[in-house]
Amino acid sequence: MSVVIREDDVITSVADALQFISYYHPIDFVDAVYQAYLKEESKAAKDAMAQILVNSRMCALGKRPICQDTGIVTVFVRVGMNVRFDSNRSLESMINEGVSRAYTHPDNVLRASVLADPAGARKNTGDNTPAVIHMTLVPGDTVEIALAAKGGGSENKSKMAMLNPSDNIVEWVKKTVPTMGAGWCPPGMLGIGIGGTAEKAMLMAKEALMDPIDIHELRERGAQNRVEELRLEIFDEVNRLGIGAQGLGGLTTVLDVKIIDYPTHAASLPVAIIPNCAATRHAHFTLDGSGPVLQQAPDIDAYPQVSLDMGEGVRKVNMDSLSHDEIKSWQPGDTLLLSGKILTGRDAAHKRMVDMLARGEQLPVDLKGRFIYYVGPVDPVRDEAVGPAGPTTATRMDKFTRTLLESTGLAGMIGKGERGGSAIEAIKDNESVYLIAVGGAAYLVSQAVKKAEVLAFADLGMEAIYEFEVVDMPVTVAVDSRGESVHLSGPQIWKKKIEAQVLELK
């Protein structure tokens, strides 16, 4: 006898899960970040993790998104072969209806980031549909669903290689992770797929990220197979790189390494890496015909109480009276609290401005002496000036940097992650500066925004140019006016420190 699962049970369960993971971190992730925070010796990395933890608790209390990038939805579905659906719609359609309802929920609007016609018009679908859905038929009379909301900053750092069978997987991962930069917002997890074919390896890497963090439990009981040995080896080797939280240099780069493997061709060794960022978001539920499944809120007392260190050495900066000499006095790694007016703009706005300059047209906003914050905020609800408004990956703006600095008099930029060589040279040549806000602390950052107004390109939605009025917005100097980058110096310093500690232990 088949089990009947109603259409609305699927839709309601998916919508509830996606709302839930927008503001609740998995508690295993919170615990792992907190343990890393307690042992961290790098002040910059420790401060970054403190912001992630404070943001996580604030989101749980305020029920607002952990990150402004509320992700593209990935769903793994295991459909029991004894199941029958009470619906005229496809299962994909039911899941996508759940996604749509979650992302347009009036009490907690989630940012729609999915664009149709990706190689053409790139038009926003408006409700973050369609999801990326993977389905498997299995014996049984239930439907198991695991879903995640995956941000673009970490997804864009995915790597895949067809290694030779004799190649060393650990060495490849160790060589590859530094090429991912800091735009994936470490500390996070690495999902690794080994074997199968190229597309199977990528799929396994993504699915591996659905598992809970348990690397320390694994170390305590000991590895029981080669995959578990690899997990421990890769975990240690990646953390020895010294990349640290937000790429600032430190002891913890990854919180766990997850691996799924599959038989492969004798001539092949496919290996894929997909990182999960500091906005790790996933949920799991099983439909058995008894009704929808609603997620259970964690105990708020399970969240650690962490305070931000905004005392000695932190500079307060008035953005409305900022001088060039003051900018030149900033050093890599300095912590600043920004107050005053800043502009926003990211990929689409930058391209439009550069195209206008190439045509000799006047820009709708005067950038001279101003700072641009690379952000696409979530829409506000209730009395918010703006919804969660964390930084986006800065390297995507590198190709526009020199033009804007030299043609407009732009004073500086705020984003997340490292800058490439061309952008650093442009910053140095123009005695500009690049600051970073913490990726994965979007709600915390948004609390500093007291007023937000669209100034230009309103048709771009979240990619429009806003003017934010901020009070004590926390940032770190990443590239100073001399072109010195903390994302280069920080990891180098901490890699040497970690190597020295390892040698001492031996």
Side-chain angles (χ1 to χ4, degrees):
M1 182 176 176
S2 62
V3 169
V4 177
I5 294 178
R6 297 185 309 124
E7 173 183 308
D8 194 58
D9 293 347
V10 176
I11 294 170
T12 300
S13 301
V14 168
D16 176 74
L18 290 170
Q19 274 285 309
F20 181 90
I21 65 175
S22 76
Y23 44 76
Y24 286 129
H25 267 132
I27 289 298
D28 58 87
F29 176 84
V30 175
D31 290 342
V33 175
Y34 184 54
Q35 293 306 314
Y37 164 82
L38 291 175
K39 74 175 187 179
E40 186 56 68
E41 298 173 13
S42 161
K43 184 180 185 307
K46 195 177 186 76
D47 288 348
M49 285 190 281
Q51 289 192 44
I52 290 168
L53 290 167
V54 169
N55 181 76
S56 183
R57 197 170 197 277
M58 287 174 61
C59 293
L61 289 167
K63 291 184 169 50
R64 291 293 275 144
I66 294 162
C67 181
Q68 81 290 338
D69 184 348
T70 48
I72 185 169
V73 177
T74 302
V75 187
F76 290 92
V77 189
R78 292 166 58 85
V79 181
M81 290 186 287
N82 292 333
V83 166
R84 182 172 64 82
F85 292 96
D86 182 11
S87 176
N88 293 322
R89 306 171 73 158
S90 68
L91 182 52
E92 289 95 334
S93 175
M94 288 183 256
I95 291 171
N96 281 321
E97 177 62 26
V99 173
S100 179
R101 291 187 190 182
Y103 278 75
T104 58
H105 196 294
D107 294 335
N108 181 43
V109 179
L110 305 181
R111 197 185 80 184
S113 301
V114 172
L115 308 181
D117 192 13
R122 295 179 66 82
K123 184 177 179 181
N124 199 300
T125 63
D127 61 0
N128 225 54
T129 62
V132 178
I133 303 169
H134 308 283
M135 285 196 287
T136 308
L137 280 174
V138 298
D141 52 9
T142 62
V143 175
E144 298 175 16
I145 295 180
L147 52 76
K150 190 71 160 58
S154 59
E155 187 71 4
N156 290 349
K157 301 301 182 179
S158 303
K159 302 291 182 181
M160 193 271 161
M162 299 299 291
L163 301 183
N164 292 318
S166 60
D167 289 342
N168 187 305
I169 293 172
V170 177
E171 287 301 313
W172 179 78
V173 173
K174 185 178 171 182
K175 178 181 69 175
T176 301
V177 169
T179 70
M180 291 158 51
W184 60 281
C185 292
M189 297 165 62
L190 294 183
I192 299 179
I194 302 173
T197 52
E199 81 284 1
K200 179 68 174 178
M202 292 298 289
L203 189 61
M204 292 188 295
K206 178 65 66 66
E207 190 169 11
L209 292 173
M210 299 286 188
D211 289 342
I213 294 173
D214 66 351
I215 194 77
H216 297 297
E217 291 84 346
L218 170 60
R219 191 183 298 283
E220 286 178 10
R221 68 168 170 80
Q224 297 174 355
N225 53 53
R226 181 54 183 153
V227 162
E228 292 184 345
E229 290 173 354
L230 281 172
R231 285 181 61 195
L232 292 170
E233 289 174 31
I234 292 170
F235 178 80
D236 290 338
E237 290 298 328
V238 171
N239 282 326
R240 284 174 188 155
L241 294 171
I243 294 168
Q246 304 293 302
L248 296 169
L251 300 178
T252 301
T253 302
V254 291
L255 302 169
D256 201 344
V257 175
K258 298 295 186 183
I259 299 176
I260 298 177
D261 67 352
Y262 194 84
T264 192
H265 192 282
S268 303
L269 182 56
V271 184
I273 302 176
I274 302 180
N276 239 5
C277 63
T280 289
R281 296 164 294 205
H282 57 87
H284 311 252
F285 58 90
T286 300
L287 297 168
D288 60 8
S290 62
V293 178
L294 304 182
Q295 302 295 311
Q296 297 301 307
D299 182 355
I300 196 65
D301 291 336
Y303 287 76
Q305 294 272 15
V306 174
S307 299
L308 301 180
D309 181 6
M310 294 299 172
E312 185 178 351
V314 177
R315 300 193 194 192
K316 285 183 172 279
V317 177
N318 186 335
M319 302 301 287
D320 299 333
S321 60
L322 184 60
S323 69
H324 185 60
D325 286 341
E326 186 174 357
I327 291 174
K328 289 175 65 177
S329 73
W330 296 344
Q331 303 291 320
D334 283 354
T335 300
L336 313 176
L337 294 176
L338 309 183
S339 295
K341 294 178 179 178
I342 60 175
L343 301 172
T344 77
R346 41 178 284 162
D347 310 63
H350 276 71
K351 184 177 188 308
R352 189 173 290 185
M353 286 191 290
V354 168
D355 288 346
M356 290 177 71
L357 290 169
R359 295 192 296 266
E361 299 172 8
Q362 185 175 349
L363 298 184
V365 178
D366 184 4
L367 304 184
K368 187 173 177 60
R370 306 294 299 274
F371 273 64
I372 280 188
Y373 178 30
Y374 303 149
V375 61
V378 175
D379 289 341
V381 298
R382 299 181 288 276
D383 59 350
E384 293 177 341
V386 70
T392 196
T393 307
T395 49
R396 299 201 310 273
M397 268 54 74
D398 281 2
K399 62 184 178 182
F400 307 116
T401 298
R402 183 173 291 278
T403 298
L404 287 187
L405 289 176
E406 296 182 351
S407 300
T408 70
L410 182 70
M413 299 144 286
I414 308 166
K416 76 169 182 180
E418 74 286 355
R419 301 308 298 262
S422 63
I424 291 174
E425 283 300 311
I427 290 167
K428 178 181 178 181
D429 293 346
N430 291 275
E431 295 185 331
S432 179
V433 69
Y434 167 60
L435 315 175
I436 57 168
V438 171
Y443 192 41
L444 173 65
V445 172
S446 73
Q447 301 306 291
V449 182
K450 305 307 177 184
K451 184 178 179 182
E453 179 185 2
V454 175
L455 297 188
F457 307 153
D459 61 297
L460 296 180
M462 60 94 174
E463 296 209 55
I465 295 178
Y466 288 75
E467 183 175 71
F468 283 178
E469 191 167 330
V470 301
V471 175
D472 289 343
M473 175 179 168
V475 296
T476 300
V477 178
V479 181
D480 69 5
S481 61
R482 293 168 293 280
E484 296 181 15
S485 170
V486 73
H487 286 112
L488 296 175
S489 60
Q492 290 174 354
I493 291 168
W494 281 94
K495 186 174 187 291
K496 290 177 181 177
K497 288 184 177 182
I498 292 167
E499 287 174 347
Q501 289 177 4
V502 171
L503 288 173
E504 286 178 11
L505 291 172
K506 291 181 178 179

